[in-house]
C-alpha cells in the first residue's frame, strides 16, 4: 500500500441529534475504506458516540473522541434546549476534541469534515489553517432557502401559507407553508443558537473547500443547482443513506412483519404502512386517534410503527378490533417492509431518508410534514416527482387520511402515483449505481481529503 496518505488526519464532527449522526459516520466509513493510511477522528458527545459505535463496525483507522454536550449538571432540559446548549459550547469545546485526537495520534489535523449545523467548526478550521468541508444532511434545495433567508423574511409571513417562492431561483414549486419557520420566518428576539447557526450559512458556506450534499444530482431541481453552484466553491453530491440496506439478518423475521405481509400478498390485499422515521416524533393525541379511526374504518390491512408510550392514546378496543389485519409495533424493519410487493401506501412524515426509501421501492406516499425540511421534501415528492399527496389540511384527520388512502389504493388516479413511483425507483437505481453521478463526486472528495 502506498504511503502517500500517511500523516493525513481528518477530524469529523457530528451533530448528535435527530437523524444526523449516522449519515456523517457513513461518510467517514466510506472515506476510511478508500484512504486506509489516513486517520479519521470522529468527534461527538459521549452518549451519541456510544450509540453509534456500539451498533456499527468501523475500520481500524477511525477512532472516536468525546466532547461535552454542554448540559450543566442537574439541569432540567426543555424540549430542544439540548441542541442549543451543545452549539453554545462553541469552538473551545471542539478544540478539546481535536486536542484529544492529536495527543493520541501525534499527527496534526489536516482537514475538518463537519455536519454543517455545527458551525463553530468553521472558526476552528480557520484557527488550524486547514480546509473545512461541511456536510448538508437535509434536502439539498433547502440550502438555497437558507441562502435567501433575508429575502424570504422580506416577502413572506407565517400567514402566507399558499404563497409560492417564485422570487427565488429554482424554488417556485415551494410554498411558504413548506418552509421550516425557524429561523426563516421568526422574530429576531426568538433567535437561538441553532437559528443563528443556520442563519450564518450564507456567509460561511461559500468559504468552504467543498460542500457535501446527501442527495442525488439526477433528482435535483436544475435551476436550484445552477444558482447554488454560483455561491459555493464546490458542491459534491455524496448520498449517505442506504436505500436498500442488506444485513446478515435479512432472512430473520423477528418482528413478524414479513410473514404478515406474505399472508396479505396471498390474499391480493394492499397493505398500508405508517411510520414516522427514526427521529422521535410524537403526533398530538387527536392525530393518533384520527389515524386509528381511519385505519379501522378503511378495512385495509396495516403495519403501524408506534412507540409504546403512545399506545395509551389509541381509541379503546382499537388494537383488539383490528388485530386480525394489523401489526402495531415499536420498531419495524422499514426497508424490508417497503420492499415487499404487498405494500400499497406509505404514510410518512416526509423525512428525506424515508421519502427516498419509499420511492426507491416504488411505493406511493401520503405525507404529514412536521418540522425541518419535511415540508420541502413532501412538496417535491408531490409536485415535482408526483409520487403521492400531502394529507388534507396538513394535519391528520379521519376523513383526510381515508381520502388519501382511497385515492392511492382504490381510485383510478392512484395508478398514476404508482406508475410515477416505479419510474422514480428506476431513476434511483441508476443514480445509486456505479454509473451514477455521485461516484464521480465521491472520487473528487477523496482527492480533496487526501491532498489537504
Amino acid at each position: 500500500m502506498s504511503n502517500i496518505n500517511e500523516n493525513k488526519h481528518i477530524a469529523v464532527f457530528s451533530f448528535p441529534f435527530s437523524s444526523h449522526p449516522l449519515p456523517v459516520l457513513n461518510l467517514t466509513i466510506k472515506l476510511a475504506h478508500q484512504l486506509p493510511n489516513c486517520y479519521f477522528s470522529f468527534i461527538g458527545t459521549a452518549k451519541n458516540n456510544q450509540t453509534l459505535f456500539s451498533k456499527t463496525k468501523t475500520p481500524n483507522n477511525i477512532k472516536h473522541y468525546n466532547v461535552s454536550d454542554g448540559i450543566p449538571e442537574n439541569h432540567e432540559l426543555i424540549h430542544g434546549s439540548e441542541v442549543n446548549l451543545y452549539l453554545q459550547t462553541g469552538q473551545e469545546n471542539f478544540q478539546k476534541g481535536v486536542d484529544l485526537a492529536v495527543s493520541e495520534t501525534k499527527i496534526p489535523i489536516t482537514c475538518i469534515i463537519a455536519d454543517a449545523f455545527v458551525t463553530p467548526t468553521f472558526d476552528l478550521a480557520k484557527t488550524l489553517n486547514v480546509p473545512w468541508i461541511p456536510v448538508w444532511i437535509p434536502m439539498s434545495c433547502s440550502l438555497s432557502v437558507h441562502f435567501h433567508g433575508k429575502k424570504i423574511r422580506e416577502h413572506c409571513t407565517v400567514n402566507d401559507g399558499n404563497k409560492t417562492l417564485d422570487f427565488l431561483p429554482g424554488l417556485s414549486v415551494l410554498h411558504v407553508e413548506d418552509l421550516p419557520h425557524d429561523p426563516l420566518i421568526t422574530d429576531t428576539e426568538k433567535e437561538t443558537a441553532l437559528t443563528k447557526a443556520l442563519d450564518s450559512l450564507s456567509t460561511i458556506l461559500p468559504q468552504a473547500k467543498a460542500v457535501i450534499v446527501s442527495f442525488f444530482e439526477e433528482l435535483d431541481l436544475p435551476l436550484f443547482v445552477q444558482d447554488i453552484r454560483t455561491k459555493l466553491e464546490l458542491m459534491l453530491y455524496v448520498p449517505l443513506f442506504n436505500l436498500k440496506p442488506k444485513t446478515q439478518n435479512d432472512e430473520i423475521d423477528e418482528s413478524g412483519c414479513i410473514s404478515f405481509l406474505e399472508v396479505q400478498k396471498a390474499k391480493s390485499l394492499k397493505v398500508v404502512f405508517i411510520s414516522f422515521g427514526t427521529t422521535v416524533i410524537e403526533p398530538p393525541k387527536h392525530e393518533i386517534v384520527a389515524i386509528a379511526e381511519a385505519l379501522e374504518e378503511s378495512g385495509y390491512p396495516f403495519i403501524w410503527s408506534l412507540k409504546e408510550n403512545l399506545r395509551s392514546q389509541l381509541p379503546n378496543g382499537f388494537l383488539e378490533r383490528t388485530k386480525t389485519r394489523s401489526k402495531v409495533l415499536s420498531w419495524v424493519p422499514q426497508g424490508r417492509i417497503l420492499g415487499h410487493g404487498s405494500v400499497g401506501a406509505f404514510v410518512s412524515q416526509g423525512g428525506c431518508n424515508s421519502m427516498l426509501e419509499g420511492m426507491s421501492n416504488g411505493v406511493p406516499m401520503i405525507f404529514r410534514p412536521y418540522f425541518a425540511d419535511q415540508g420541502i421534501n413532501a412538496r417535491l415528492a408531490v409536485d415535482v416527482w408526483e409520487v403521492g399527496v400531502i394529507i388534507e389540511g396538513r394535519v391528520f384527520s379521519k376523513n383526510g387520511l381515508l381520502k388519501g388512502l382511497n385515492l392511492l389504493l382504490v381510485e383510478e388516479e392512484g395508478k398514476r402515483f404508482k406508475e410515477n413511483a416505479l419510474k422514480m425507483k428506476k431513476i434511483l437505481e441508476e443514480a445509486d449505481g456505479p454509473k451514477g453521478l455521485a461516484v464521480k463526486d465521491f472520487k473528487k472528495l477523496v482527492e480533496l481529503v487526501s491532498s489537504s
Side-chain angles (χ1 to χ4, degrees):
M1 181 64 67
S2 169
N3 293 328
I4 190 171
N5 293 320
E6 286 188 354
N7 298 321
K8 300 296 183 183
H9 187 181
I10 298 88
V12 182
F13 290 86
S14 68
F15 180 68
F17 305 100
S18 186
S19 55
H20 281 238
L22 185 56
V24 175
L25 180 57
N26 286 342
L27 174 64
T28 310
I29 291 171
K30 286 182 68 173
L31 287 170
H33 280 304
Q34 197 70 28
L35 298 167
N37 292 328
C38 290
Y39 292 89
F40 291 85
S41 295
F42 193 93
I43 300 171
T45 64
K47 180 180 178 181
N48 193 248
N49 281 342
Q50 169 63 26
T51 301
L52 281 177
F53 286 86
S54 65
K55 296 179 179 178
T56 310
K57 185 177 181 181
T58 58
N60 293 332
N61 55 334
I62 298 177
K63 288 195 175 182
H64 63 273
Y65 300 89
N66 302 334
V67 292
S68 171
D69 57 13
I71 303 173
E73 191 174 348
N74 299 321
H75 180 78
E76 187 175 340
L77 284 173
I78 303 171
H79 180 66
S81 63
E82 63 268 35
V83 173
N84 294 306
L85 290 169
Y86 181 67
L87 291 177
Q88 284 168 3
T89 63
Q91 179 183 340
E92 296 81 5
N93 188 34
F94 303 121
Q95 177 70 58
K96 291 177 182 177
V98 163
D99 291 343
L100 285 171
V102 171
S103 174
E104 182 169 322
T105 62
K106 310 302 182 188
I107 300 173
I109 299 298
T110 56
C111 179
I112 286 179
I113 296 175
D115 189 305
F117 281 37
V118 192
T119 52
T121 58
F122 168 68
D123 290 323
L124 178 59
K126 285 200 299 183
T127 299
L128 298 175
N129 194 28
V130 299
W132 182 62
I133 302 177
V135 185
W136 187 248
I137 301 299
M139 175 60 69
S140 54
C141 70
S142 63
L143 261 178
S144 188
V145 169
H146 289 289
F147 266 91
H148 295 290
K150 182 178 179 181
K151 188 178 288 187
I152 291 172
R153 285 190 287 271
E154 289 173 353
H155 286 77
C156 308
T157 71
V158 291
N159 299 317
D160 290 336
N162 271 326
K163 182 175 180 178
T164 59
L165 303 184
D166 50 11
F167 54 90
L168 298 183
L171 299 180
S172 60
V173 67
L174 298 181
H175 297 196
V176 171
E177 63 186 355
D178 304 326
L179 300 176
H181 285 173
D182 295 321
L184 293 169
I185 314 174
T186 63
D187 298 326
T188 53
E189 296 176 0
K190 297 179 181 178
E191 280 188 335
T192 64
L194 177 60
T195 61
K196 288 177 181 177
L198 294 176
D199 215 25
S200 71
L201 293 175
S202 61
T203 302
I204 64 175
L205 289 183
Q207 300 179 62
K209 187 71 173 178
V211 176
I212 301 167
V213 292
S214 178
F215 199 57
F216 297 96
E217 186 174 356
E218 289 91 338
L219 268 67
D220 227 337
L221 302 172
L223 290 178
F224 151 73
V225 178
Q226 182 180 326
D227 176 62
I228 201 70
R229 279 192 163 142
T230 66
K231 296 173 170 57
L232 302 174
E233 182 173 336
L234 180 64
M235 181 168 70
L236 299 174
Y237 285 87
V238 183
L240 302 175
F241 22 67
N242 297 319
L243 294 182
K244 292 186 177 180
K246 296 179 180 179
T247 69
Q248 293 179 343
N249 296 322
D250 267 358
E251 300 306 317
I252 300 173
D253 184 25
E254 292 181 356
S255 67
C257 289
I258 306 306
S259 56
F260 171 80
L261 291 170
E262 284 296 318
V263 171
Q264 310 311 314
K265 185 178 181 181
K267 297 177 181 177
S268 299
L269 296 175
K270 288 297 180 183
V271 178
V272 178
F273 176 47
I274 308 99
S275 175
F276 300 124
T278 54
T279 303
V280 180
I281 293 178
E282 295 193 358
K285 180 178 179 179
H286 67 91
E287 292 196 50
I288 292 176
V289 171
I291 295 170
E293 290 177 342
L295 291 171
E296 184 170 0
E297 185 168 317
S298 74
Y300 300 126
F302 63 90
I303 296 175
W304 189 355
S305 178
L306 184 67
K307 301 296 182 186
E308 188 73 38
N309 64 308
L310 299 179
R311 306 279 176 85
S312 61
Q313 299 181 20
L314 293 169
N316 289 335
F318 168 76
L319 293 174
E320 180 66 25
R321 292 191 299 271
T322 60
K323 67 179 182 180
T324 60
R325 58 179 174 90
S326 71
K327 291 195 77 68
V328 180
L329 302 167
S330 297
W331 179 89
V332 298
Q334 179 166 300
R336 293 183 67 194
I337 290 171
L338 289 170
H340 196 278
S342 65
V343 177
F346 177 24
V347 182
S348 165
Q349 86 285 12
C352 192
N353 192 40
S354 291
M355 178 190 68
L356 286 171
E357 206 166 24
M359 289 198 297
S360 70
N361 286 290
V363 180
M365 288 169 276
I366 297 173
F367 298 100
R368 192 310 192 191
Y370 284 92
F371 62 87
D373 64 337
Q374 293 169 3
I376 294 174
N377 302 340
R379 180 66 64 186
L380 295 177
V382 171
D383 287 353
V384 176
W385 305 313
E386 298 181 340
V387 294
V389 295
I390 297 174
I391 193 77
E392 190 174 66
R394 301 175 79 89
V395 174
F396 283 118
S397 67
K398 174 185 172 182
N399 290 336
L401 185 52
L402 276 172
K403 183 178 178 180
L405 291 174
N406 289 332
L407 173 64
L408 297 187
L409 297 173
V410 178
E411 296 175 18
E412 188 66 24
E413 189 181 353
K415 294 179 181 179
R416 178 173 65 87
F417 293 112
K418 179 63 177 177
E419 289 170 358
N420 289 337
L422 290 173
K423 288 178 184 176
M424 293 308 303
K425 177 182 179 180
K426 185 175 181 180
I427 291 172
L428 278 167
E429 284 174 350
E430 293 176 356
D432 200 33
K435 295 183 180 179
L437 297 175
V439 172
K440 174 191 66 177
D441 278 5
F442 181 65
K443 287 180 180 177
K444 288 183 182 178
L445 176 63
V446 170
E447 291 171 6
L448 278 178
V449 170
S450 61
S451 62
S452 60

